Amino acid sequence: MINEQQIKEAVSSIIAAIGEDPNRDGLLDTPQRVAEMYSELFMGINRNAAEELSTGFDLGHREMIVVKDIPFYSMCEHHLLPFYGVAHIGYIPNLNGRVVGISKLARAVEIIARRPQIQERMTTEIADAIVDGLDPSGVAVVIQAEHLCMIMRGIKKAGSAIITSAIRGAFRSHPESRAEFFSLIGK
């Protein structure tokens, strides 16, 4: 559970530590706004994304299903600055042809994105949640994102795209399935 009071106190301390007056008109309500924002941005902490995928349908469908360009926003755990982009997910249903409602995949991305983290872990956690929740024959996840910690500070390289992937099951053992997925998402 997120402790908004503790966040408010910490933000007020940060404002003072950078040499500003936390009681100035423009900053007076900032600690409350930040606490409310953090409650929203980090709502995925301690939530199990695989649970979103537990309700499916055994339809006998055995062909690849791809959802691409799922937008997300997350927070870099190193600087607490945002990174944002799109997730592409492909899966091949199991022998029963078990499928899940497409919105459930987007919800799994949303839950996992709403945590402090690094993109590599996020990619892995999405793939693992789909494996755990859907038990497919194969899963492929590709995430493309821009990181404000690379744009606003440090190296300051605007436009740099970070691409990560996680490949499981049939996508790993069948190169043609992997190639089809990457062709369908345009990578």
Side-chain angles (χ1 to χ4, degrees):
M1 188 71 174
I2 292 177
N3 185 331
E4 287 191 14
Q5 182 58 39
Q6 194 172 358
I7 294 170
K8 285 171 43 178
E9 292 166 8
V11 170
S12 186
S13 293
I14 290 170
I15 291 169
I18 64 171
E20 265 288 0
D21 177 6
N23 296 310
R24 178 167 69 77
D25 277 348
L27 293 172
L28 193 58
D29 294 327
T30 297
Q32 179 63 42
R33 286 190 294 266
V34 171
E36 291 169 0
M37 175 186 68
Y38 276 15
S39 288
E40 181 180 342
L41 293 179
F42 298 123
M43 68 80 168
I45 295 172
N46 298 321
R47 287 190 60 197
N48 184 350
E51 289 176 3
E52 288 292 327
L53 304 167
S54 63
T55 302
F57 314 96
D58 291 337
L59 297 180
H61 184 80
R62 297 280 299 130
E63 300 298 320
M64 186 182 311
I65 298 164
V66 176
V67 183
K68 63 183 261 184
D69 297 325
I70 302 168
F72 73 87
Y73 300 89
S74 194
M75 294 287 271
C76 166
E77 66 186 30
H78 298 141
H79 302 99
L80 289 182
L81 284 172
F83 67 95
Y84 60 94
V86 293
H88 312 290
I89 298 173
Y91 75 95
I92 299 172
N94 61 24
L95 294 175
N96 295 327
R98 183 168 176 74
V99 299
V100 68
I102 299 303
S103 68
K104 301 293 188 184
L105 295 168
R107 285 184 188 166
V109 170
E110 184 75 4
I111 289 169
I112 293 169
R114 298 298 180 132
R115 303 170 181 169
Q117 65 196 330
I118 60 173
Q119 181 176 329
E120 296 87 344
R121 182 183 318 117
M122 180 179 158
T123 308
T124 295
E125 287 181 355
I126 291 169
D128 291 346
I130 295 167
V131 167
D132 292 345
L134 198 52
D135 189 32
S137 294
V139 173
V141 176
V142 171
I143 293 181
Q144 181 173 342
E146 291 188 46
H147 292 244
L148 289 184
C149 57
M150 280 190 59
I151 295 169
M152 293 178 64
R153 58 158 311 279
I155 194 72
K156 296 183 179 113
K157 296 299 178 194
S160 299
I162 295 24
I163 299 173
T164 52
S165 67
I167 308 297
R168 306 282 186 273
F171 286 101
R172 183 166 295 285
S173 60
H174 297 96
E176 63 280 359
S177 294
R178 185 177 180 150
E180 179 183 355
F181 170 72
F182 280 103
S183 170
L184 289 171
I185 66 168
K187 301 286 178 218

